[in-house]
Amino acid sequence: MITGAGPGPILRTKRNLAPADMTSITEHLVQTAAEPDLAAAGVDEAIESFLGPAAQTFSNIVFFELQIGSLGIPLIVVWLMAAAVFLTFYLRFQPITGLRYSVGIIRGRFTRKTDPGQVSSFQALATELSGTVGLGNIAGVAVAITIGGPGAALWIIIFGFFAMTVKMAEATLGVKYRQINEDGTVSGGPMYYLRAGLAEIGRPKLGKFLAGFYALTAVLGVIGAGNLFQANQAAAIIVQATGSQDSFFADKLWLIGAIIAALTALVILGGIKKIGQWTSRLTPLMAILYFFSIIVILILNAGQIPHAFALMFTGAFSPSGIAGGAVGVAIVGIQRALFSNAAGIGSAGMAHAASKTTKPATEGFVAMWEPLIDSVIICTLTSLAIITTGLYAESTEDGIGLTAQAFASVSGWFPILLTIAVVLFAFSTILAYGYYGQQALGYLTKNSKVADKAYQVFWILAVIVGASMSLDSVIAFSDAIFFLMAFPNLLGIYFLARILRLEILRLRTKIDVGVMREISPVELQVGMGDHEPTPEQIRAAEAGRKRKRDKLREVRDTLRRKKRAREKAAD
């Protein structure tokens, strides 16, 4: 959504907004389209009149709130929060006890280039971060502080910690139940671990239903949240940064969309390997740019940092001016943490399923870092920048407009850096969610190459549509479907919790006792960059696998002979 003016547009990413805000925001969207010079009003009106009422009704169902006095608690947030807390305790606080195991795994020291998969663990991490780190960390934090005060920032951090275990669960199961295709490509994600995992524990019908339901909602949900809206936001902020109504692009949004679509095509058509390569480069670039920009703001307001932390702690437990008091602030913060990092949506299961590994839990230890970076580090930096400048208490802006004002407090040109970061965030999200949509469609079409290419073309063209039009109701509908993905995904994880814990604790034990060691020679390690094996390494790996098969066959034959001998002796 594009509203207001100031140092930058107010861009509110609805897939990253709290459900408590969703109803009022959607109603506002139906009443006010984007600025007239940024969209074709006639088209917008036709879309709104046709889809508006249906989108609003569906959104209200998905984001249904349980009213306790004057406080509304969205049930879907309770569903996500309960899973995060349960898994953290059930898996023995892996975000604390298991973090040290993940460093070597991320660096690719425990996996071979000849292992099945298409990308390195680091590239899978970058792909998932590209889909979650974004406008929610920039605009969403500002929205949370505007609604719940500085205390909401502390709750974002707290539940970002709990979300680490949810990501761990999704990634581990995504690898364990992935499907390696004949051409070496990988199909994975909640669709596969819901179907195969539940069948393994004796619930095949439930697993098949949940998998199909998840895949359908994923195909539709990622289009709005991961494509149309991202392209629209990127185009809008480019127009604002280049002169607003006087911008060359003011009446040529399709041109911005075409440029982004062309860049998207170069990556998307190359498959997950290309996506992994680009996101592994873009994600550090985005993080570094945003990190150093925030650091500059904090240096200029260094004296206010201790006071900012004090406000966060006191505001979290003794707030004023918000319905529900401390509970109300907690709800706002929890919504922001769980919705900005997409823990529970299942995307981590798709991203990490493509990783080169033979041990599913390795990717769980890698995926833990995603909420840590997303909801703990980046959201904390954004919160401090807003609180230390004092703008949250005096500004009339919210969302990214408030963050842009914090940047403008440094210099009039400083918001340009924010514009660059937003565009990069939007582009990387388009890449990541395009892959997720392909995976979900592949499940529904049995990995049809024709359907896959058609979806890629559709995804690329949708970028132009998203940049050119205001599709508020379509986005509201897609967002509701997007969050609906959490229901079958988390239900399946509850059923598979025992298998999940066994995988994770078994890997830790192997590392502790020295059974699992760093791969030698170093040249065979996947690493963080080039992970393609040489022909010699492939031949050696195939020979090794053949020796193992022969040895296993020999052991089985020996056991059969001994069994027959015992039976003959018994007769």
Side-chain angles (χ1 to χ4, degrees), residues 125 164 167-168 171 348 352 362-371:
L125 172 67
M164 292 171 68
K167 289 281 190 173
M168 183 183 212
H352 288 275
T362 57
E363 292 311 297
F365 284 100
V366 174
M368 279 199 308
W369 283 80
E370 290 152 11

Side-chain angles (χ1 to χ4, degrees), residues 12-300:
R12 302 183 96 177
T13 309
K14 290 182 290 180
R15 78 178 175 89
N16 285 324
L17 286 180
D21 306 324
M22 189 64 68
T23 302
S24 60
I25 291 173
T26 306
E27 290 173 350
H28 178 64
L29 290 175
V30 173
Q31 296 170 3
T32 59
E35 295 176 9
D37 62 311
L38 301 184
V43 176
D44 289 346
E45 291 175 1
I47 292 173
E48 294 294 344
S49 62
F50 181 71
L51 293 175
Q56 179 63 54
T57 301
F58 188 66
S59 180
N60 290 341
I61 293 173
V62 174
F63 298 108
F64 175 78
E65 294 184 354
L66 179 65
Q67 292 293 328
I68 301 178
S70 59
L71 181 65
I73 302 178
L75 292 183
I76 195 168
V77 172
V78 176
W79 178 247
L80 288 163
M81 178 181 64
V85 174
F86 165 75
L87 288 171
T88 300
F89 279 88
Y90 188 70
L91 298 180
R92 301 181 184 178
F93 283 87
Q94 294 303 317
I96 296 175
T97 62
L99 206 57
R100 67 184 179 89
Y101 296 92
S102 64
V103 178
I105 296 173
I106 292 175
R107 299 178 68 179
R109 294 181 174 181
F110 292 95
T111 50
R112 294 176 173 82
K113 291 181 179 179
T114 53
D115 284 344
Q118 296 175 268
V119 298
S120 67
S121 293
F122 176 72
Q123 289 177 329
L125 172 67
T127 298
E128 176 63 3
L129 281 173
S130 295
T132 57
V133 176
L135 297 176
N137 308 96
I138 301 174
V141 172
V143 170
I145 294 175
T146 300
I147 298 172
L154 181 61
W155 285 107
I156 291 176
I157 297 170
I158 292 172
F159 277 87
F161 164 79
F162 285 102
M164 292 171 68
T165 319
V166 180
K167 289 281 190 173
M168 183 183 212
E170 293 174 347
T172 301
L173 294 174
V175 175
K176 181 172 177 60
Y177 295 104
R178 67 183 176 178
Q179 177 179 305
I180 307 295
N181 303 315
E182 292 182 359
D183 59 357
T185 59
V186 177
S187 299
M191 308 81 66
Y192 295 90
Y193 63 68
L194 288 172
R195 182 183 65 185
L198 267 65
E200 186 176 306
I201 62 173
R203 300 178 183 273
K205 292 183 178 180
L206 177 62
K208 188 174 181 180
F209 169 75
L210 292 178
F213 181 68
Y214 178 89
L216 181 61
T217 56
V219 169
L220 298 175
V222 298
I223 294 172
N227 186 315
L228 300 178
F229 195 61
Q230 299 298 324
N232 184 274
Q233 302 260 281
I237 199 168
I238 289 174
V239 169
Q240 291 287 344
T242 55
S244 192
Q245 294 184 4
D246 297 328
S247 170
F248 170 78
F249 296 106
D251 58 348
K252 300 179 182 66
L253 290 176
W254 65 269
L255 182 57
I256 298 176
I259 295 172
I260 298 175
L263 294 173
T264 302
L266 291 175
V267 183
I268 289 288
L269 295 177
I272 183 57
K273 289 186 178 181
K274 280 288 185 182
I275 294 173
Q277 290 170 2
W278 274 78
T279 53
S280 64
R281 295 166 185 164
L282 279 177
T283 299
L285 177 62
M286 295 185 304
I288 291 171
L289 173 63
Y290 191 68
F291 176 80
F292 281 106
S293 299
I294 292 293
I295 291 299
V296 171
I297 298 174
L298 295 182
I299 290 175
L300 294 178

Side-chain angles (χ1 to χ4, degrees), residues 329-448:
V329 174
I331 291 297
V332 172
I334 292 167
Q335 289 168 344
R336 293 302 333 120
L338 295 177
F339 279 69
S340 70
N341 57 46
I345 300 300
S347 56
M350 299 188 221
H352 288 275
S355 298
K356 282 181 174 289
T357 185
T358 57
K359 304 168 186 67
T362 57
E363 292 311 297
F365 284 100
V366 174
M368 279 199 308
W369 283 80
E370 290 152 11
L372 179 65
I373 295 172
D374 179 287
S375 296
V376 178
I377 298 176
I378 296 181
C379 287
T380 298
L381 290 174
T382 303
S383 300
L384 289 175
I386 293 172
I387 297 170
T388 56
T389 56
L391 291 170
Y392 75 95
E394 56 190 50
S395 175
T396 57
E397 300 282 7
D398 63 358
I400 207 172
L402 182 56
T403 310
Q405 283 191 341
F407 272 66
S409 68
V410 175
S411 173
W413 59 268
F414 214 62
I416 294 175
L417 298 180
L418 181 63
T419 299
I420 296 172
V422 168
V423 172
L424 290 177
F425 283 140
F427 179 59
S428 64
T429 300
I430 291 172
L431 298 182
Y433 277 89
Y435 174 68
Y436 299 153
Q438 285 178 255
Q439 288 294 294
L441 184 66
Y443 177 84
L444 294 173
T445 62
K446 297 182 179 179
N447 292 316
S448 166

